[in-house]
């Protein structure tokens, strides 16, 4: 009998982005399945960073990554930059801090899928499809209202001000989903 490898939701933490950390000056980014960033590094494994404008690697601008390897002169993030146009030569990265959203009861989501594009024509022997853009779906979080919880207050403030923000769902096995 096979044992389930499913991760229980119990023990997960839901966070909203807090105050940004001090900006890090980047001197290079590799084209790799996990981008290696050259910089005077203050980050640790598991930290989250948002990239500013990157010279030579515009595809990296605005992306958020999780640090998977860290040394004093570089860090590696979980962003596949192997297909980007060129290496990055300069720019900035800003570490994210997180505020826990308390009294979170449950979550469900990340239920999206790729659409299919019908490319059938008169010469087709049967229906022909190619994959379309991926839809990452939705995430629904259920919580008990707490008017004193810092995370819930931040959620309400961002909603009222129409502010776009980042979120972090940390699973019991330590894996993070940052969006």
């Amino acid at each position: 009998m096979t044992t389930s490898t499913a991760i229980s939701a119990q023990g997960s933490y839901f966070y909203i982005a807090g105050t940004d950390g001090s900006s890090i000056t980047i001197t290079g980014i590799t084209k790799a399945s996990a981008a290696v960033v050259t910089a005077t590094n203050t980050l640790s494994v598991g930290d989250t960073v948002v990239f500013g404008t990157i010279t030579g690697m515009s595809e990296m601008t605005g992306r958020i990554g999780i640090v998977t390897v860290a040394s004093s002169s570089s860090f590696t993030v979980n962003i596949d930059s192997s297909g980007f146009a060129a290496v990055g030569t300069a720019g900035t990265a800003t570490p994210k801090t997180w505020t826990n959203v308390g009294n979170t009861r449950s979550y469900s989501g990340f239920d999206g899928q790729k659409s299919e594009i019908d490319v059938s024509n008169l010469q087709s022997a049967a229906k022909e499809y190619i994959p379309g853009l991926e839809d990452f779906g939705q995430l629904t979080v259920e919580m008990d209202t707490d008017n004193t919880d810092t995370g819930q207050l931040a959620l309400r403030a961002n909603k009222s001000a129409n502010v776009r923000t980042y979120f972090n769902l940390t699973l019991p096995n330590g894996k993070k989903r940052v969006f």
Side-chain angles (χ1 to χ4, degrees):
M1 184 163 129
T2 305
T3 304
S4 173
T5 58
I7 300 167
S8 171
Q10 192 70 34
S12 297
Y13 290 88
F14 183 62
Y15 300 94
I16 185 170
T19 306
D20 289 345
S22 297
S23 183
I24 297 169
T25 301
I26 295 170
T27 57
I29 302 178
T30 63
K31 288 178 56 170
S33 60
V36 178
V37 181
T38 305
T40 302
N41 181 32
T42 57
L43 301 171
S44 300
V45 172
D47 286 349
T48 309
V49 64
V50 176
F51 291 90
T53 302
I54 304 297
T55 304
M57 191 178 268
S58 60
E59 301 95 335
M60 189 66 98
T61 301
R63 289 186 184 247
I64 189 164
I66 299 170
V67 176
T68 57
V69 177
S71 73
S72 61
S73 60
S74 67
F75 59 93
T76 303
V77 291
N78 64 336
I79 297 174
D80 183 354
S81 61
S82 60
F84 292 177
V87 298
T89 57
T92 60
T94 305
K96 290 308 239 178
T97 62
W98 301 100
T99 301
N100 183 52
V101 178
N103 294 307
T104 304
R105 295 176 54 90
S106 67
Y107 65 86
S108 64
F110 298 118
D111 54 358
Q113 61 186 2
K114 284 187 178 183
S115 60
E116 292 183 332
I117 300 171
D118 183 352
V119 293
S120 305
N121 58 44
L122 291 176
Q123 289 76 39
S124 299
K127 285 281 195 176
E128 297 177 300
Y129 296 96
I130 60 171
L133 295 175
E134 185 171 3
D135 174 1
F136 294 104
Q138 298 180 350
L139 176 73
T140 302
V141 178
E142 178 186 20
M143 64 187 87
D144 293 326
T145 302
D146 182 346
N147 292 322
T148 62
D149 180 74
T150 307
Q152 288 194 25
L153 292 171
L155 284 171
R156 282 190 212 98
N158 284 356
K159 180 180 179 250
S160 295
N162 267 344
V163 173
R164 289 183 67 178
T165 190
Y166 292 99
F167 295 96
N168 171 339
L169 178 64
T170 301
L171 304 173
N173 65 355
K175 299 288 185 186
K176 295 181 180 183
R177 304 295 185 257
V178 180
F179 52 99

